[in-house]
Amino acid sequence: MSKELPKTYNPKETEEKIYKTWEESGFFTPENLPDKREASFSVSIPPPNATGTLHLGHSLEYSLQDAVVRYHRMKGDLTLWLPGTDHAAIATNTKVEKKLIKETGKNRHAIGREAFVKEVEDFVAESRGVMQKQIRQIGASVDWSREAFTMDDKRSLAVKTAFKKMYDAGLIYKDYKVINWDPKGQTSVSDDEVEHRPEKGMLYTFKYSSDFPIEISTTRPETKVGDTAVAIHPDDKRYKQYIGKEFKNIEFAGTKLNIKIIADENIDPEFGTGAVGVTPAHSLVDADIAQRHSLPMVQVINEYAKMTEEAGTLVSGKKTKEAREIIVTWLKENKLLSGEENIDLNISIADRSGGIIEPLPKLQWFVAVNKKFKIKESKIKGIESNSETTLKEIMKKSVENGQIEIMPGRFNKTYFHWINNLRDWNISRQLWYGHRIPVWYKGDETLCDINHPEGSGWEQDPDTLDTWFSSALWTFSTLGWPDKNAPDLKKFHPTSFMNPGYEIIFFWVARMILASGFLLGEVPFKKVYLHGILRDSKGRKFSKSLDNGIDPIEIIDHYGADALRMSLIIGIGPGNDANFDTNKVRGYQHFANKLWNIARFVLLNVTEKPNLNASLKDKDQTKLEEQKELIKDITNDMEEYRYYIAAEKIYHYIWHILADEIIEDSKTDLSSKDLETKESAQRMLLELLMNSLKILHPFMPFVTEEIYSKLPNKNKILLIVEKWPVN
RNA sequence: GGGCGCAUAGCUCAGUUGGUUAGAGCGUCUGUUUUACACACAGAAGGUCCUAGGUUCGAGUCCUAGUGCGCCCACCA
């Protein structure tokens, strides 16, 4: 070799150049891959939110996915890794509105829907550029020619088509129901977007009036002006005599209540007084009771968490918190309050805005998960074509029968538990950024269609869709669906591997299974490898308030992308949280340098034209065979998705076997005057190094590719398309 | 209230189906310019694998109970 390698490996000089070489080679696109490839292997990237820059959690995700993808590419599969971004309606809407207020002092209403959406689109375009650059820097071998966005034209068509198909099947319906309302974000949210936070509260026990026979308990006295019933357990002897009685025009805190006494199995006679004041409009549980007993619904709280006129003269127009105090005072003054007790309770919070959820009755769109429909074509085991099924059953069977394997297996339980308790999915949001609901109204007419209906006077539903509705279609909306004959769809769906965080198993994984099952009659992916949360070195979550965020680009600048990737794979098993420590990254930076110097040593010891067919001495042959055995073992680990173990074994082999033992031992042979001895040693080292580069490449693609380019025994243009050494 | 996870070297964590002297990174100590690498090499110290029982020829690994952390789900009003 003519040129001397520098003493130390410099990732900064190498990485950008190498990534460019890969992109220009076209090998990220499966159609351009060399050799005949039968089996396809496809991965959809979990699309990062278009809200801004990527964090280390993304690096974790891409490090593993890229390793998986590169392994399969080398194995000879027709390999596709499809990139893209998610418009993240609620998150982006919030972020841009905040920015707008900060910069101009105007909120979205002040500038209007059209101008606001434009504002968001500009922001998103900019963010996406940053994110694309970051994905390149980590070395992700994604097919940029297929890049997708959940709001682009193709995905919009998919969303509208999916909506219409579900609407036509009767699985999407509009209804006036009690939903989770976020007064801060001014939108409804689904059950999954509600978080619970423990808080100290007060349990008040009282009667509506002095001549009302039953005491009730509540933590929310302000809602009691909306009560229409008192529920008791049917077997409760204390109250049995009152069942069915109605008390009309009870004077209560500035309003008049009509209370019916009803019996319901779900009431716990042991709790409180054993009697519940039923508030159908402001409790999801009470709304269920109300429905069972056909109780009237009185809305006493509005969208701004203030009391309505219906709430009566005493509290009308007040905030809920003030109303509570007023009513408690009124109860005390009228000697109706018999108990106040400190109690631990959970309050509901909207996960995005942090607003306190107020259950409200509202006209919203829902996906019916328990409603039966006839599935035309099903490849899901346990669900026959042309049979009746439900979305819930699709979600259940797809996993139950093993067509989808979730790793680690313990999450199966979580998944099934969620499905069993699942209620209809509220998919409408009162936001401006997102896919607009493809339904139009004209007078009494309602029309669901992909395009604006012909004729004038049609007005589109103002609501937008839950962002997860479009994400649910991701594995196939990116492959040409709704064109059922799209070549990509045929070749690459179901996808092979999906690598999301466990925190979105409900939001996303379950919804993808639902959507793919209904629309395609098949599963969206075969393997779900869940990853955990990456925390800081002290085990704390990364958060803005702690200001402990680490920019992956800084780490890459300092230690190299290979080192970062390695540190995010080794020792991090599926579904486990991990702490991020720069010391670990530094360790693998040293490893990259070690490999570099192994290559230097080997290249220093081979002639310009080494004899690649030199006959091998027995001991050298043995070294090759031992390495083969190790590679078999590693390959087995990778087939079983134990990348976190495989990478460590490779590390150990290269450093402590190849460098510490084999190279050390070879030094005498390399300086031998016997040509055969010398050439045998040279050949052995070249082959061991070559194989080491191949097996390490999925994990540390840059440094291995760079070294590969300098080796005399390469037989491909680039390492990325080299053949995996065993099969 | 239901479900799940974790507890292994000073620190952060691996340990696949139970099988020889329990591993990695970082840290500590002692040496060493040696055909590459001081981002290195040679060597060393450091572990009752949370506790107590049990199964087994054999347990960090399986079972039971307990202790301490952590997570998820759930509107006991």
Side-chain angles (χ1 to χ4, degrees):
Chain A
M1 294 281 100
S2 49
K3 53 221 173 283
E4 275 277 305
L5 299 185
K7 239 174 146 175
T8 334
Y9 171 62
N10 186 343
K12 257 188 153 167
E13 276 175 20
T14 314
E15 291 176 356
E16 208 183 320
K17 174 192 80 187
I18 293 280
Y19 196 89
K20 222 177 148 194
T21 315
W22 287 330
E23 269 198 275
E24 284 165 2
S25 76
F27 292 147
F28 293 172
T29 300
E31 287 75 14
N32 297 334
L33 288 168
D35 310 318
K36 205 170 172 221
R37 288 163 189 259
E38 305 284 348
S40 72
F41 188 87
S42 56
V43 181
S44 315
I45 210 164
N49 286 355
T51 47
T53 53
L54 302 180
H55 51 73
L56 275 174
H58 293 106
S59 310
L60 171 90
E61 214 164 66
Y62 305 150
S63 297
L64 179 65
Q65 284 173 46
D66 196 44
V68 172
V69 163
R70 284 177 188 268
Y71 166 62
H72 280 272
R73 195 182 284 121
M74 291 175 81
K75 241 183 83 181
D77 292 340
L78 189 66
T79 304
L80 169 66
W81 187 14
L82 201 148
T85 18
D86 194 300
H87 68 287
I90 195 161
T92 313
N93 198 98
T94 309
K95 185 155 188 169
V96 174
E97 187 164 21
K98 251 186 209 162
K99 192 169 158 253
L100 188 70
I101 291 168
K102 201 177 158 191
E103 284 167 9
T104 68
K106 291 178 186 167
N107 68 7
R108 68 180 151 125
H109 297 280
I111 67 168
R113 185 163 189 155
E114 208 174 313
F116 180 71
V117 169
K118 175 82 178 50
E119 198 71 37
V120 179
E121 281 168 355
D122 289 347
F123 171 82
V124 165
E126 207 182 303
S127 298
R128 284 179 69 199
V130 176
M131 287 157 63
Q132 285 158 351
K133 196 175 163 216
Q134 288 178 306
I135 291 174
R136 286 183 164 89
Q137 272 169 308
I138 196 79
S141 56
V142 295
D143 183 0
W144 292 107
S145 73
R146 283 179 165 88
E147 196 193 2
F149 177 49
T150 52
M151 277 286 277
D152 62 24
D153 290 346
K154 286 180 181 167
R155 264 45 67 177
S156 295
L157 176 65
V159 165
K160 286 184 275 191
T161 307
F163 187 99
K164 183 167 167 51
K165 282 183 184 288
M166 295 180 92
Y167 181 91
D168 290 343
L171 295 179
I172 285 183
Y173 65 94
K174 197 180 190 184
D175 196 10
Y176 184 74
K177 287 211 286 195
V178 176
I179 47 88
N180 307 300
W181 179 260
D182 171 12
K184 199 172 173 190
Q186 285 295 303
T187 180
S188 66
V189 295
S190 67
D191 294 344
D192 298 287
E193 289 163 289
V194 178
E195 280 175 358
H196 302 280
R197 199 167 65 200
E199 201 166 79
K200 296 279 176 213
M202 193 74 87
L203 184 69
Y204 302 92
T205 302
F206 68 96
K207 283 198 231 177
Y208 295 117
S209 68
S210 54
D211 47 6
F212 193 80
I214 302 173
E215 282 193 326
I216 59 165
S217 297
T218 184
T219 53
R220 298 198 63 191
E222 73 277 15
T223 63
K224 297 291 100 181
V225 291
D227 282 11
T228 56
V230 165
I232 54 150
H233 193 271
D235 299 333
D236 197 326
K237 282 178 189 137
R238 292 170 293 179
Y239 310 122
K240 228 172 173 168
Q241 46 175 318
Y242 303 113
I243 293 171
K245 286 204 171 153
E246 285 183 57
F247 296 81
K248 302 229 164 180
N249 291 321
I250 306 167
E251 296 282 348
F252 178 75
T255 187
K256 285 184 177 160
L257 299 181
N258 294 321
I259 302 290
K260 189 176 176 184
I261 313 296
I262 57 167
D264 199 283
E265 292 280 348
N266 292 344
I267 306 301
D268 176 7
E270 304 295 318
F271 187 87
T273 63
V276 181
V278 182
T279 323
H282 301 289
S283 156
L284 263 55
V285 170
D286 290 8
D288 284 347
I289 297 176
Q291 210 192 0
R292 283 198 289 273
H293 299 273
S294 314
L295 298 171
M297 194 184 258
V298 182
Q299 183 173 350
V300 295
I301 298 170
N302 69 15
E303 285 83 349
Y304 301 97
K306 287 185 174 167
M307 307 308 290
T308 64
E309 260 179 52
E310 290 279 303
T313 52
L314 212 54
V315 291
S316 170
K318 306 276 193 230
K319 286 183 184 165
T320 49
K321 216 177 152 189
E322 291 172 290
R324 179 176 304 181
E325 286 166 22
I326 291 168
I327 288 178
V328 170
T329 307
W330 182 89
L331 286 170
K332 281 179 182 163
E333 281 169 358
N334 289 278
K335 306 211 164 27
L336 294 168
L337 191 69
S338 65
E340 282 180 87
E341 188 192 336
N342 285 308
I343 192 174
D344 292 318
L345 51 85
N346 285 314
I347 57 164
S348 302
I349 309 273
D351 67 354
R352 281 289 164 192
S353 74
I356 296 171
I357 293 292
E358 197 61 67
L360 287 181
K362 260 199 167 293
L363 198 53
Q364 297 281 311
W365 290 95
F366 298 89
V367 170
V369 292
N370 290 312
K371 189 170 175 189
K372 285 196 173 169
F373 68 95
K374 201 171 183 187
I375 190 163
K376 270 190 209 143
E377 221 188 304
S378 167
K379 289 178 214 155
I380 299 162
K381 286 183 202 156
I383 298 177
E384 302 286 316
S385 294
N386 288 313
S387 70
E388 283 219 317
T389 185
T390 64
L391 294 174
K392 217 178 233 192
E393 201 183 352
I394 285 176
M395 287 191 274
K396 211 181 279 182
K397 288 275 194 275
S398 299
V399 176
E400 214 172 60
N401 61 31
Q403 263 175 307
I404 294 173
E405 191 197 339
I406 299 178
M407 275 183 83
R410 65 184 136 94
F411 281 96
N412 280 305
K413 227 171 178 170
T414 317
Y415 176 80
F416 289 126
H417 179 261
W418 180 81
I419 289 173
N420 287 332
N421 294 301
L422 187 61
R423 289 188 292 208
D424 286 358
W425 173 19
N426 178 352
I427 51 168
S428 47
R429 298 290 175 274
Q430 291 65 54
L431 302 166
W432 286 349
Y433 184 57
H435 293 283
R436 192 122 170 217
I437 291 193
V439 172
W440 281 263
Y441 310 102
K442 182 159 104 181
D444 291 338
E445 286 178 87
T446 298
L447 193 83
C448 173
D449 208 347
I450 286 153
N451 300 309
H452 191 291
E454 288 184 21
S456 61
W458 288 98
E459 209 153 307
Q460 190 170 5
D461 194 295
D463 285 358
T464 50
L465 283 165
D466 180 1
T467 200
W468 297 103
F469 189 89
S470 60
S471 317
L473 318 177
W474 187 245
T475 61
F476 49 90
S477 69
T478 51
L479 293 175
W481 192 89
D483 175 8
K484 277 193 174 155
N485 297 313
D488 271 11
L489 195 64
K490 288 188 166 169
K491 217 178 293 169
F492 296 116
H493 206 270
T495 59
S496 316
F497 180 73
M498 176 54 70
N499 180 221
Y502 62 70
E503 74 277 9
I504 55 173
I505 184 167
F506 309 135
F507 283 124
W508 196 39
V509 177
R511 266 73 172 272
M512 282 192 280
I513 297 171
L514 175 157
S516 178
F518 175 73
L519 294 162
L520 300 173
E522 65 184 25
V523 297
F525 32 67
K526 296 164 193 158
K527 174 83 77 181
V528 181
Y529 184 108
L530 296 165
H531 66 75
I533 294 165
L534 196 64
R535 300 165 181 278
D536 74 5
S537 61
K538 292 173 189 144
R540 302 172 305 179
K541 267 192 176 182
F542 287 115
S543 73
K544 287 207 180 79
S545 53
L546 282 170
D547 194 30
N548 58 351
I550 299 170
D551 182 359
I553 298 311
E554 273 176 38
I555 300 290
I556 289 171
D557 272 353
H558 207 98
Y559 303 99
D562 287 329
L564 175 61
R565 292 167 58 117
M566 204 62 171
S567 78
L568 294 176
I569 289 181
I570 289 186
I572 303 179
N576 291 342
D577 291 352
N579 294 357
F580 182 80
D581 190 347
T582 48
N583 282 329
K584 191 173 173 189
V585 187
R586 185 149 48 87
Y588 296 115
Q589 178 198 20
H590 295 176
F591 177 56
N593 190 60
K594 185 73 186 180
L595 181 68
W596 183 255
N597 276 288
I598 290 169
R600 273 184 82 205
F601 177 84
V602 173
L603 289 172
L604 279 172
N605 279 286
V606 295
T607 45
E608 194 109 10
K609 274 199 166 174
N611 182 1
L612 299 174
N613 297 311
S615 68
L616 287 163
K617 301 277 178 195
D618 280 356
K619 61 170 181 175
D620 292 337
Q621 182 69 43
T622 306
K623 296 279 186 288
L624 286 168
E625 278 159 18
E626 283 169 354
Q627 193 198 41
K628 268 267 160 6
E629 282 310 303
L630 174 87
I631 296 175
K632 273 185 197 162
D633 182 42
I634 284 163
T635 304
N636 184 44
D637 282 331
M638 290 169 79
E639 285 296 318
E640 303 292 325
Y641 287 92
R642 291 190 296 265
Y643 283 69
Y644 61 109
I645 292 174
E648 189 167 354
K649 285 179 181 166
I650 296 168
Y651 171 94
H652 186 265
Y653 172 79
I654 290 176
W655 198 314
H656 299 297
I657 306 288
L658 182 59
D660 291 352
E661 292 176 10
I662 299 175
I663 285 186
E664 287 309 316
D665 289 350
S666 74
K667 285 178 180 173
T668 44
D669 285 354
L670 289 169
S671 59
S672 169
K673 290 195 178 106
D674 177 47
L675 190 65
E676 274 183 33
T677 305
K678 195 172 173 172
E679 286 192 335
S680 172
Q682 289 175 341
R683 180 181 159 190
M684 173 211 44
L685 287 179
L686 277 170
E687 289 189 19
L688 290 181
L689 176 59
M690 177 54 79
N691 286 334
S692 298
L693 293 180
K694 288 180 190 170
I695 57 175
L696 184 60
H697 182 256
F699 304 96
M700 301 183 90
F702 290 110
V703 66
T704 51
E705 187 73 82
E706 176 69 5
I707 294 170
Y708 181 85
S709 72
K710 305 188 186 305
L711 290 189
N713 56 333
K714 58 173 186 263
N715 48 44
K716 296 277 183 190
I717 312 163
L718 290 169
L719 179 55
I720 187 175
V721 288
E722 262 285 3
K723 270 190 80 126
W724 191 254
V726 299
N727 41 30

